[in-house]
């Protein structure tokens, strides 16, 4: 019985040490998630859904976030996503993202997420991005 207690104590110490080490490493080396929000006129219909999506994304552990639109940078790396007073305006134009990286955060990001209501055919030229497809609320 004494041997089992010693073995169990060693296992707990090893797992605890590994867990603390992993936590400290991940805290100092967070994932960098760049979020691109479509701010075109068509997004007005689903705009109320955007803050909830941003809140869901910035709940991730061991990550920091930058937020841009297809028209402007909102903020660089931060622990949370803050859209501020941005509202949809102007036509949709993703061409800045298909021809090259417009913002320096693209080079630093480990993941890029696009929030849009655009049809899949409109975003197919944007490779390796996660696309959050917003749908208008249905009446009923």
């Amino acid at each position: 019985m004494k041997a089992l207690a010693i073995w169990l104590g060693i296992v707990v110490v090893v797992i605890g040490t590994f867990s603390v080490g992993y936590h400290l490493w991940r805290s100092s080396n967070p994932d960098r998630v760049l979020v691109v929000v479509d701010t075109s006129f068509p997004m007005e219909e689903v705009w109320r859904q955007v803050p909830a999506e941003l809140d869901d994304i910035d709940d991730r552990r061991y990550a920091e976030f930058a937020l841009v639109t297809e028209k402007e940078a909102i903020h660089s790396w931060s622990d949370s996503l803050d859209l501020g007073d941005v509202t949809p305006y102007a036509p949709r134009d993703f061409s800045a993202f298909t021809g090259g990286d417009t913002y320096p955060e693209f080079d630093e990001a480990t993941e890029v997420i696009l929030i849009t209501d655009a049809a899949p055919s409109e975003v197919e030229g944007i490779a390796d991005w996660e696309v959050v497809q917003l749908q208008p609320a249905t009446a009923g």
Side-chain angles (χ1 to χ4, degrees), residues 12-130:
V12 167
V13 168
V14 168
I15 290 174
T17 302
F18 175 76
S19 298
V20 168
Y22 178 76
H23 171 74
L24 293 173
W25 183 81
R26 288 292 288 153
S27 294
S28 63
N29 297 293
D31 292 330
R32 288 192 151 186
V33 181
L34 175 61
V35 179
V36 180
V37 177
D38 178 359
T39 57
S40 62
F41 285 133
M43 284 289 289
E44 287 179 337
E45 191 173 356
V46 296
W47 194 248
R48 298 179 114 207
Q49 299 174 35
V50 173
E53 289 296 332
L54 294 176
D55 188 46
D56 287 347
I57 292 168
D58 75 8
D59 286 345
R60 295 181 184 192
R61 193 169 181 187
Y62 305 122
E64 58 185 2
F65 310 92
L67 182 62
V68 301
T69 72
E70 73 279 18
K71 298 166 184 81
E72 65 180 321
I74 305 302
H75 65 76
S76 194
W77 303 113
S78 173
D79 292 336
S80 62
L81 291 164
D82 182 17
L83 192 57
D85 60 356
V86 175
T87 57
Y89 67 97
R92 179 178 287 136
D93 183 14
F94 293 141
S95 64
F97 302 129
T98 57
D101 296 339
T102 307
Y103 305 106
E105 289 84 0
F106 277 96
D107 294 331
E108 302 163 358
T110 55
E111 180 181 359
V112 180
I113 300 172
L114 171 64
I115 299 175
T116 186
D117 69 341
S121 61
E122 292 183 76
V123 295
E124 65 187 15
I126 302 172
D128 300 327
W129 289 16
E130 177 184 339

